[in-house]
Amino acid sequence: MIDRYTLPEMGNIWTETAKLKSWLQVEIAVCEAQAELGYIPAAAVAEIKAKANFDPKRVLEIEAEVRHDMIAFLTNVNEYVGDAGRYIHLGLTSSDVLDTALALQLVASVNILLERVEELSQAIRYQAQQHRYTVMVGRSHGIHAEPITFGFKLAGWLAEVFRNRERLVHLRSSIAVGKISGAVGTYANIDPRIEAIACQNLGLEPDCASTQVISRDRHAEYVQTLALLAASIERFAVEIRNLQRTDVLEVEEFFSKGQKGSSAMPHKRNPIRSERLTGMARIVRANAVAALENVALWHERDISHSSVERMILPDSSTVTHFMLVETTDLVKNLLVYPENMKQNMNVYGGVIFSQRVMLALVEKGTSREEAYKIVQSCAHEVWNKPGGNFYNLIAKDERVTAKMTSKEIDDCFDPQYQLRHLDLVYQRLGI
């Protein structure tokens, strides 16, 4: 991922040095397990732990010659360790180290994402509490529908973030899997107990049935889970973009002092952060397709997945992390305009209360078909008309006044009727 969208907290997990450190961590864990079971001298392990090191530049130099990254790494480590280095990587294949170390990086990434998801949920929760009773119009197909509150909209976001958190918790368990089972996964040259001990010490579970690699459905699940999280963020961002349109202007991204929206038009205050988030979601979603295509490897392994994962796993992790941090700050500082919400809701004189009027007429004995016809005719007469007032038409329509009193008509235009059950949603979410 380019530096522009890489925050140090996540970026540090995916540096070349961090990767090589995780490789060395796995190699040492295996050596410790070997010594515990008596396969290699404990003194040799102590020497390995004291001397083992690597130089990323030197690893690349060796790799340029041998054209194998793991051999280059082991060669460089042995330059530091000396004779005791002959006990490193005994009975292993490269993927034992690569896949187990990758699991450590993925788990570390999920832990960070969970922390940032919690911060996002707290930001949304706060705004949902603040705007629990901030009435606005709900929209379907982009068209005015019936009253809701802005807090209710945010409650829906919060519920979605909760589901993403649950997915990440499950993912952490699913991806925390290592393998120390040797070539093609048969344990031909490695005691399965070594795998169990090493994985336990690394905080991982042994893969129950690996081939020469850990099956890539786990890694596809990782990217797909991140893609779902990114899609949720995109949904929030698209909503903010729509509500910030000049002809709506019910919410707005915070616009800092000195910020400029356009090189040509000084008046512009654009939803650039929401637009950025929308674009980033496309990246993670595209990476999910590549991760799915990595699942089908030839026989017990090939390396067609390797070049893909070098890009999609760091990039998906980094950009999803950036999106969470960006969205949290966006929500925290969101500008909300209740007066504009009220004004938009009352356009055309309360036409959004059409269903309530129709149902009231039905309750008074009018057939539903006839009630629909009466209300629709009034609604369409005021729709898109300057000064159009649905309430005035309804209050004067003899087909309505013959069935309903003035107070009963007025009651139909009280938004609290539509909002009377929203507390239930808040109770479910513990807000």
Side-chain angles (χ1 to χ4, degrees), residues 316-327:
S316 297
S317 304
T318 303
V319 75
T320 304
H321 175 250
F322 183 95
M323 291 176 73
L324 282 167
V325 173
E326 185 87 343
T327 306

Side-chain angles (χ1 to χ4, degrees), residues 115-129:
E115 291 175 3
R116 301 291 82 80
V117 162
E118 182 59 29
E119 290 179 358
L120 176 57
S121 69
Q122 291 302 322
I124 296 174
R125 179 190 297 271
Y126 175 79
Q127 292 285 27
Q129 290 169 333

Side-chain angles (χ1 to χ4, degrees), residues 106-157:
L106 293 174
V107 170
S109 295
V110 171
N111 286 336
I112 289 175
L113 293 176
L114 278 167
E115 291 175 3
R116 301 291 82 80
V117 162
E118 182 59 29
E119 290 179 358
L120 176 57
S121 69
Q122 291 302 322
I124 296 174
R125 179 190 297 271
Y126 175 79
Q127 292 285 27
Q129 290 169 333
Q130 295 298 111
H131 296 285
R132 181 170 185 156
Y133 303 113
T134 302
V135 182
M136 67 182 298
V137 66
R139 297 169 171 91
S140 58
H141 303 275
I143 308 300
H144 285 198
E146 292 196 343
I148 61 171
T149 71
F150 186 56
F152 173 68
K153 185 187 292 287
L154 292 168
W157 295 12

